[in-house]
Amino acid sequence: MKKHVCKKIAALLLSALLLVTLFAGCSNGSSDGSGASTSDSGKLQIQFWHSMSGNTQEALDAVVAGFNESQDQYEVVATNQGTYDESTGKFFNMAGGSDSAHIIQIGEQNLQSMIDSGMIASVSDLIETYSFDDSDLLEQEVNFYTVDGDMWAMPFNCSTPVVYYNKTVFDAAGVTEFPTTFEGITEAAQKVAESNDSITPVGMYAYGYALDQMVINMGGYVINNENGRADRATEVSYQDQITQIYNWIKDLQDQELLLNYGSDGTNTISGFTQQQVGMFIASSASCRNVIDSSTDFEVGVANLPVPEGTEPEGVYGGGGALCVATGLDEDVEAGVMEFLTYATSPEVQATWAVSTGYFPICNGAYETETLTSTYEELPQLQVAADQLLNSNVNSITAGPLLSQLPQLRTDLQTALEAVFNGSDVESAVAQAVESTNSAIASANQGVAE
């Protein structure tokens, strides 16, 4: 059964996000919440809010331009609205009013809040209405965005965390095959330290998305009620796995094999490309940028590690997806579906992937010359994609469905930073659990089933 709550409740749930969005810039579109204006060329305009920046925004602009040039009926107007959380917060705040989005790009952490708002349409219903062929979409991606039998967002920019490592340095230390376990990485780091005193073997920053994906890969649920898929989550359930992860990181730091960057991912990447550290964990979305920026050595990419004796479960299809606003005029909704058809087509997805480091969300893209030739040239990009493609499809790898997922990740980051600064693992984890569970309880009180 689909679950909807009123917009007023959604605003209460997301009050923290709404405060942030008071400072967000205005859209330069001219549509109202349900219809659209026309461009100077007479095309029906569709307002598309996104959160891409830098090279990914350039690649997205190319996708939009390609669609606009492909037909003479619609014009998609793409506008950056800040981070995923800022953009969705503004979307809730505008409540479908003037200049609101017809299509909004969300991060996977925003899915539950978007469903709760009642402000987005079921993509499954749109697929049926417009005879959209969804048979080519990756089942791992569909698994994440499907709740109670309905897919609520169209997968678009897919990524997962991966391990980046300086293959040149590890090869020189005698580590020619990158380890798949915590223990193996520790041993490899020791070899690097013994053979090269100019580099710290491991760089690490507190990255909540990577941490909850590591829990999934170890076969654990991040939150209870089967990751919030069997019923609404009421508390976290990651304690066993996250404790193992933090103990591993603490051991690396105690052995002086790890340089911690706090919560600064940008400096971590810079430290790697400047050969201050030999490996780090970050989103696969950075893959192309990391490779292009590492001019003096060969970059390797590996799957997320697990403890010895643990069979990897795989990861969930994170990254971003496209939601469609409710209450759109029929002609606007038809244009939205035309764009989604174009944006998820094999060649467009292949070109998007090679331009960014995201990987395609449809099977056909992996058979295109565009992608196969790029994978031959840059096999690191394929490693990240294969980690998802080889993942099991079940309630664990469906991933966490939680309106407070941003809070959960922040609490995990805060806990890891505490461990970096000398706190014992058990107390740091306990504090994260208490903080997140309190936030979940407060949010659930405001949601009417």
Side-chain angles (χ1 to χ4, degrees), residues 212 214-222 227 237-238 241 313 396:
D212 75 55
M214 291 176 74
V215 170
I216 297 292
N217 195 37
M218 292 166 64
Y221 287 111
V222 176
N227 268 338
S237 60
Y238 56 59
Q241 292 79 19
E313 190 70 37
I396 296 175

Side-chain angles (χ1 to χ4, degrees), residues 103-306:
I103 307 170
I104 179 171
Q105 183 188 36
I106 66 167
E108 80 286 322
Q109 73 271 20
N110 306 122
L111 180 61
Q112 178 74 78
S113 296
M114 295 297 283
I115 296 171
D116 287 346
S117 75
M119 293 173 62
I120 60 169
S122 162
V123 171
S124 291
D125 288 350
L126 294 174
I127 285 172
E128 182 176 355
T129 299
Y130 292 91
S131 300
F132 178 97
D133 183 3
D134 62 346
S135 62
D136 198 41
L137 298 176
L138 297 186
E139 59 179 343
Q140 291 86 352
E141 280 284 278
V142 171
N143 191 32
F144 182 88
Y145 292 104
T146 299
V147 182
D148 294 334
D150 271 344
M151 187 164 71
W152 289 95
M154 180 66 73
F156 177 66
N157 52 300
C158 186
S159 64
T160 63
V162 292
V163 179
Y164 296 90
Y165 65 97
N166 185 323
K167 191 174 186 304
T168 304
V169 165
F170 278 85
D171 282 352
V175 183
T176 56
E177 184 173 345
F178 196 80
T180 60
T181 66
F182 293 173
E183 294 82 358
I185 289 178
T186 299
E187 182 179 346
Q190 291 168 343
K191 291 181 179 179
V192 169
E194 292 170 359
S195 64
N196 189 334
D197 60 7
S198 67
I199 192 169
T200 302
V202 180
M204 187 78 68
Y205 74 103
Y207 183 27
Y209 174 49
L211 293 168
D212 75 55
Q213 284 272 30
M214 291 176 74
V215 170
I216 297 292
N217 195 37
M218 292 166 64
Y221 287 111
V222 176
I223 47 180
N224 70 345
N225 294 330
E226 297 183 13
N227 268 338
R229 305 288 175 161
D231 198 0
R232 198 173 187 94
T234 59
E235 61 184 12
V236 303
S237 60
Y238 56 59
Q239 290 91 321
D240 288 348
Q241 292 79 19
I242 209 71
T243 297
Q244 291 181 74
I245 295 168
Y246 286 178
N247 278 326
W248 169 58
I249 294 172
K250 185 178 186 301
D251 179 58
L252 286 169
Q253 183 168 267
D254 288 347
Q255 294 188 54
E256 299 183 350
L257 300 172
L258 180 145
L259 178 61
N260 93 73
Y261 285 88
S263 59
D264 194 333
T266 300
N267 277 342
T268 308
I269 294 175
S270 295
F272 177 76
T273 60
Q274 296 171 21
Q275 300 194 71
Q276 296 169 357
V277 295
M279 61 157 278
F280 70 106
I281 295 173
S283 171
S284 61
S286 301
C287 195
R288 187 63 187 255
N289 180 55
V290 171
I291 294 170
D292 291 345
S293 300
S294 304
T295 57
D296 297 329
F297 61 93
E298 182 179 357
V299 175
V301 175
N303 291 354
L304 293 176
V306 295

